[in-house]
Amino acid sequence: MDDLAARFKAGDEDAVRDVVRLYSGAVQTVARSMLRSPELVAEVVQQTFVKAWRAAASYDDSREFRPWLYSIARRTAIDVIRREGRPTAGAHEQEVETAVMPMSFERTWEIYEVRQALDGLPAEERVVMQLSFLVGLTHHQIAEKLDIPIGTVKSRTGRAKKRLAVALGHLGPTANQTAGSDVQGVEPL
């Protein structure tokens, strides 16, 4: 074993392969004793050998090789445990897996019809609606961005809403109702 450790320390590629082959099972056992997730265990095994390879030149020949490698595995597993227990990088709460319900066919079809109705608008009205409802700009901001008067933005918005109400009237009884310039029953695009 002393020969393998010396060759590993020297960076011999064959020695590195031999170390991985000889000790991967034992390193996996160390990781599995601390972690339950097979993915995290595999990550610890991989990181252990990478860290050992990077630190090979600093390996102390007076110490036994196996305990040195196992201590790297143990510290790596602790690092993974700490990382997994931390909140996400943005200091938010820890992520929790939740079930996502697939969208119904009816809802998918309604979204498709809204997109088609938007695509059917004249270009200048479509742009105003996209900037308003998709980007979230105010009438003033749209007027500045498009370099047009605010009255033009308002009239294009009004015409577009009326066209959309007609095109999408079949989606529900409230789609044809308007209050002022707002179309009721139609979600913002």
Side-chain angles (χ1 to χ4, degrees):
M1 178 56 214
D2 293 315
D3 179 50
L4 179 60
R7 289 185 345 199
F8 181 82
K9 182 177 180 174
D12 180 0
E13 290 181 23
D14 291 330
V16 172
R17 280 190 212 100
D18 289 342
V19 165
V20 171
R21 184 178 47 77
L22 286 171
Y23 296 108
S24 62
V27 169
Q28 186 176 28
T29 302
V30 170
R32 194 177 296 130
S33 72
M34 299 175 73
L35 298 159
R36 299 288 175 242
S37 166
E39 293 84 13
L40 294 178
V41 168
E43 179 183 340
V44 168
V45 171
Q46 182 178 7
Q47 285 184 18
T48 297
F49 288 109
V50 169
K51 288 178 180 181
W53 174 69
R54 288 182 178 158
S58 63
Y59 168 67
D60 182 2
D61 295 336
S62 65
R63 295 177 57 193
E64 286 190 49
F65 188 75
R66 280 182 288 179
W68 175 76
L69 189 60
Y70 300 160
S71 69
I72 293 173
R74 185 176 170 281
R75 286 192 310 268
T76 302
I78 290 170
D79 290 344
V80 168
I81 291 168
R82 287 179 182 153
R83 182 194 73 210
E84 290 297 310
R86 272 191 222 130
T88 57
H92 304 284
E93 291 186 25
Q94 189 171 3
E95 294 176 7
V96 178
E97 290 188 30
T98 58
V100 177
M101 298 302 294
M103 200 179 314
S104 70
F105 175 77
E106 292 81 13
R107 183 70 178 136
T108 303
W109 184 254
E110 287 175 355
I111 291 170
Y112 170 77
E113 288 184 317
V114 170
R115 294 285 181 200
Q116 289 295 103
L118 267 175
D119 289 344
L121 291 175
E124 62 274 353
E125 291 176 14
R126 183 175 55 247
V127 168
V128 168
M129 294 300 284
Q130 289 171 337
L131 290 174
S132 178
F133 291 97
L134 296 178
V135 178
L137 299 181
T138 66
H139 285 149
H140 290 286
Q141 292 168 328
I142 295 170
E144 287 178 20
K145 183 170 184 71
L146 298 178
D147 196 29
I148 57 175
I150 191 166
T152 303
V153 172
K154 290 179 180 181
S155 63
R156 288 179 184 175
T157 301
R159 283 193 308 269
K161 285 181 178 182
K162 287 178 184 174
R163 289 181 205 269
L164 290 173
V166 169
L168 301 171
H170 64 283
L171 290 180
T174 60
N176 285 327
Q177 298 172 351
T178 60
S181 62
D182 291 333
V183 176
Q184 300 295 314
V186 178
E187 292 182 24
L189 307 172

